[in-house]
Amino acid sequence: MLKSLPSTFGSTFRTAYLKVVAVILVIAMIGFPLVSHYGITVDEGTEVAMVRRNIEFIVKGTPIPGDLKYFGPVFNVASEIMFQAQQYLTKGRSYNPLDYGAELNDRQTRVQALAGRVKVKHYMTFLVSLITYAAVAGIVGTLCGADYAWFGALTLVFFPTFWGHSFFNPKDPPFATIFTLTTLLGAYLVNYYLESDEPIKVGKNRATFYAVLFGILVGLLTGIRIGGFLFLFFILATYLILRLGKGGSRRDFFNFAGLYLLLCVTWFATNTICYPAFWSNPIAGFLETIDYLSGHRLQIVVLFDSKFIPIQNLPWNYLPTWMFMTIPLIFQIGFVVGTSLIVAKYSKLSTLQRACAILVLFQVLFLPLVAIVKHSPMYDGMRHFLFTLPGIAAISATAFIWIYQKLSKKSFKIIAASFITVVFVAIAFDMIALHPYQYIYFNRISGGLKQAQGQYETEYWGLSLREGMEWLNKNATPGSTVLVGGFLYSAELFADPNLKVIGYEPEKLAGVPRPFHYLAWPRWDAQEQLPECPVVHQVIRQGVPLSIVKRCD
């Protein structure tokens, strides 16, 4: 019996699900120790404040000030709950999670509270991102067979933009996660409604139960970013395309219409719960949010093709250019080939595979095309379209697998596998060289990060202010002043207590005693300020300076 254990274990481990679990565990083992390496983004203070303001609205019945009411709070609330649970376990029953008084009245307390919340939020962001790898594995397993699902999860790892954002970005990775999961489960829902022998109508049955569950899932998706409501149309279009292809009676359409209406009602209820600002008038609140976010009234400019352009006046090719420059070429080719193969093989695909392929293509193509056609304002490269990357990874992986399966000779398969390995290793070296700023990756065909310098936004999140601040902790004279050209807390949270860290304000510069240091991020000409002061340190990746430190004597 003991002799049979290795054989039995090997056979069990080779099963598809354990392969996927093994890949995701390896990703987790690599990723979790790296979470603490990342700095703090310009948005994180706002994201934390959003939760407090929503709580104020609920407890006191006061309106949420500013435009924060338009941004989905689901992930922020989940992170706040985890932070508060941690505080409760640490401080005991006397801890009051609604007591924000000390934080609001004392800057040092507020900074410490923000640092604690950000730490929890970063771990939560990476934890949630792991679900995306599993969802991509599920899509690839659906299209190619369960034995190949693990390769889908592995492929997404080598998208530097997604990997980098998955450690700190408080909005886009969670949205990408739920979007991809919704795509996968939506395919199974459509397949169930089309292929099941059970009653497909509203009633005490599984069809109704699944409609409610899926409505809740789409509600959580829009609870992170309101644009996710379009998935309601994706699921309807996918069902109609496949139902018309299979044929069906008027009763089939009527029964599905009832389930779809229930799904939409469930979505609307969940979405309303997620937005406290909607509670008094859910329909008006939803429409107002759509109008606000589609217009992006922020008055900011972005660096694109060496010119600073207001986000409302960007050329149509802004998003396509960013996708071309920041997605590794192998995956751009893989996506085009994979889409072509899906079209060519469509008649041979099962209903489930067709539903999955259609929904993935909706996820990848629909919203970017709408943004381009509508000339929607955009900024921060393609980060608002980060949700397209899991779908691109899934279709690319599918293309590689289908081609691999078609190779008849073992030697050809070895060559193909070796080629993919070499390309993945090359991308991995770039990711290591950029760490912890993988999100500023530019592919080699675009000239890489060096070519992008001065032409396009690079380190727009301000993460490198942490590294600049840590250099100052070691090299600045205790008690000296540091002016920050960028978001203050991105540097302040990592500052030595012996340093005086304040925001750079030109009109108040005369009152700052010299010598002092100036720490600046590479955005909006911040590094061009104080030209008389020499640069004494630079945070550099791939030969490109990110944040810099000047000394003004």
Side-chain angles (χ1 to χ4, degrees):
M1 181 175 178
L2 290 174
K3 290 182 179 180
S4 68
L5 281 178
S7 176
T8 303
F9 178 79
S11 177
T12 303
F13 188 77
R14 282 193 296 270
T15 60
Y17 300 112
L18 286 183
K19 288 179 183 178
V20 173
V21 170
V23 169
I24 293 176
L25 283 177
V26 170
I27 296 170
M29 290 171 64
I30 294 171
F32 274 116
L34 302 179
V35 173
S36 60
H37 295 190
Y38 291 81
I40 294 178
T41 71
V42 299
D43 280 359
E44 294 193 67
T46 302
E47 299 292 323
V48 168
M50 178 197 303
V51 178
R52 174 174 56 80
R53 291 179 177 182
N54 275 278
I55 291 175
E56 288 175 351
F57 176 82
I58 295 170
V59 174
K60 300 179 181 179
T62 56
I64 301 173
D67 60 4
L68 292 183
K69 62 183 179 180
Y70 301 122
F71 297 103
V74 165
F75 180 72
N76 294 321
V77 170
S79 297
E80 180 71 11
I81 290 171
M82 293 300 295
F83 171 76
Q84 297 291 359
Q86 179 196 57
Q87 293 294 298
Y88 183 81
L89 292 174
T90 303
K91 298 178 180 179
R93 296 182 179 180
S94 61
Y95 175 68
N96 181 6
L98 298 180
D99 184 10
Y100 288 96
E103 295 178 25
L104 296 175
N105 297 325
D106 179 68
R107 181 172 182 80
Q108 187 60 35
T109 303
R110 186 161 64 251
V111 168
Q112 292 174 352
L114 176 59
R117 286 178 167 86
V118 166
K119 182 178 179 181
V120 171
K121 185 183 287 287
H122 284 192
Y123 279 101
M124 282 281 291
T125 302
F126 184 68
L127 179 63
V128 169
S129 295
L130 289 176
I131 300 173
T132 319
Y133 295 102
V136 171
I139 292 170
V140 172
T142 300
L143 294 174
C144 303
D147 286 342
Y148 293 96
W150 65 272
F151 186 69
L154 183 66
T155 299
L156 184 58
V157 172
F158 294 97
F159 279 67
T161 304
F162 184 84
W163 175 266
H165 280 275
S166 67
F167 290 90
F168 62 85
N169 184 331
K171 291 179 289 191
D172 305 298
F175 184 71
T177 294
I178 304 302
F179 208 138
T180 310
L181 185 62
T182 305
T183 294
L184 174 62
L185 297 181
Y188 279 86
L189 181 70
V190 170
N191 180 70
Y192 175 77
Y193 284 164
L194 290 171
E195 300 290 345
S196 178
D197 294 328
E198 299 178 2
I200 304 300
K201 60 181 180 180
V202 175
K204 293 182 178 180
N205 52 47
R206 285 197 288 183
T208 302
F209 180 64
Y210 293 158
V212 171
L213 287 182
F214 197 77
I216 293 172
L217 183 62
V218 180
L220 293 176
L221 177 67
T222 55
I224 297 173
R225 180 159 281 163
I226 200 71
F229 84 95
L230 287 170
F231 204 94
L232 296 171
F233 298 99
F234 298 167
I235 202 77
L236 175 62
T238 302
Y239 175 84
L240 292 177
I241 290 169
L242 295 177
R243 170 55 74 189
L244 291 172
K246 289 173 64 68
S249 65
R250 184 177 297 178
R251 179 175 293 276
D252 290 329
F253 287 100
F254 179 79
N255 287 340
F256 174 77
L259 290 166
Y260 182 73
L261 179 61
L262 177 62
L263 189 157
C264 291
V265 170
T266 307
W267 159 77
F268 185 75
T270 305
N271 183 71
T272 301
I273 292 171
C274 290
Y275 286 86
F278 294 0
W279 291 358
S280 58
N281 194 338
I283 295 176
F286 172 75
L287 295 176
E288 182 182 347
T289 300
I290 293 294
D291 176 67
Y292 174 85
L293 294 179
S294 63
H296 266 307
R297 297 177 179 85
L298 294 175
Q299 299 301 310
I300 61 175
V301 297
V302 297
L303 179 62
F304 182 72
D305 195 19
S306 75
K307 298 182 286 291
F308 285 101
I309 306 173
I311 61 174
Q312 289 80 11
N313 299 330
L314 287 170
W316 72 269
N317 64 330
Y318 177 83
L319 180 58
T321 299
W322 270 97
M323 297 185 81
F324 170 74
M325 294 190 303
T326 58
I327 297 174
L329 179 61
I330 186 68
F331 301 127
Q332 296 183 40
I333 296 172
F335 177 75
V336 173
V337 173
T339 302
S340 301
L341 290 175
I342 286 171
V343 174
K345 293 165 64 77
Y346 184 80
S347 62
K348 299 178 182 179
L349 299 178
S350 67
T351 301
L352 175 60
Q353 289 174 316
R354 292 178 184 180
C356 188
I358 291 170
L359 286 171
V360 172
L361 289 174
F362 269 130
Q363 177 177 345
V364 173
L365 298 175
F366 188 83
L367 283 171
L369 287 174
V370 169
I372 293 169
V373 171
K374 288 188 61 180
H375 202 70
S376 299
M378 288 176 256
Y379 57 95
D380 290 355
M382 65 159 293
R383 80 164 177 88
H384 292 104
F385 295 86
L386 200 71
F387 62 86
T388 64
L389 297 184
I392 294 172
I395 291 181
S396 297
T398 297
F400 301 149
I401 293 166
W402 279 349
I403 292 172
Y404 180 83
Q405 290 172 332
K406 280 293 184 181
L407 298 175
S408 56
K409 293 185 179 181
K410 185 177 180 180
S411 58
F412 290 168
K413 290 190 174 184
I414 293 174
I415 292 171
S418 299
F419 173 74
I420 292 295
T421 301
V422 169
V423 174
F424 280 16
V425 169
I427 296 171
F429 275 118
D430 282 338
M431 294 170 69
I432 293 169
L434 290 170
H435 182 77
Y437 315 111
Q438 291 91 347
Y439 81 95
I440 64 173
Y441 170 87
F442 288 83
N443 60 35
R444 294 171 186 246
I445 195 172
S446 71
L449 181 61
K450 190 71 175 177
Q451 186 65 33
Q453 182 187 12
Q455 304 293 312
Y456 301 94
E457 304 284 3
T458 54
E459 213 281 88
Y460 53 77
W461 271 126
L463 295 183
S464 60
L465 289 171
R466 169 183 178 171
E467 195 171 340
M469 194 70 247
E470 289 173 341
W471 183 87
L472 285 164
N473 291 341
K474 297 177 181 178
N475 295 277
T477 303
S480 60
T481 299
V482 177
L483 302 185
V484 178
F487 277 69
L488 179 59
Y489 57 71
S490 293
E492 187 180 25
L493 267 62
F494 303 100
D496 188 287
N498 294 317
L499 297 178
K500 183 181 179 182
V501 183
I502 57 178
Y504 171 70
E505 299 180 65
E507 64 276 10
K508 297 182 180 179
L509 191 61
V512 179
R514 300 195 178 211
F516 62 81
H517 286 91
Y518 176 62
L519 170 61
W521 69 338
R523 198 171 192 189
W524 299 327
D525 284 335
Q527 296 183 354
E528 306 305 316
Q529 304 301 312
L530 305 175
E532 72 278 9
C533 303
V535 175
V536 295
H537 180 70
Q538 300 180 99
V539 178
I540 295 177
R541 292 297 185 275
Q542 294 186 331
V544 175
L546 305 180
S547 287
I548 65 170
V549 178
K550 294 181 178 182
R551 178 177 170 86
C552 300
D553 292 319

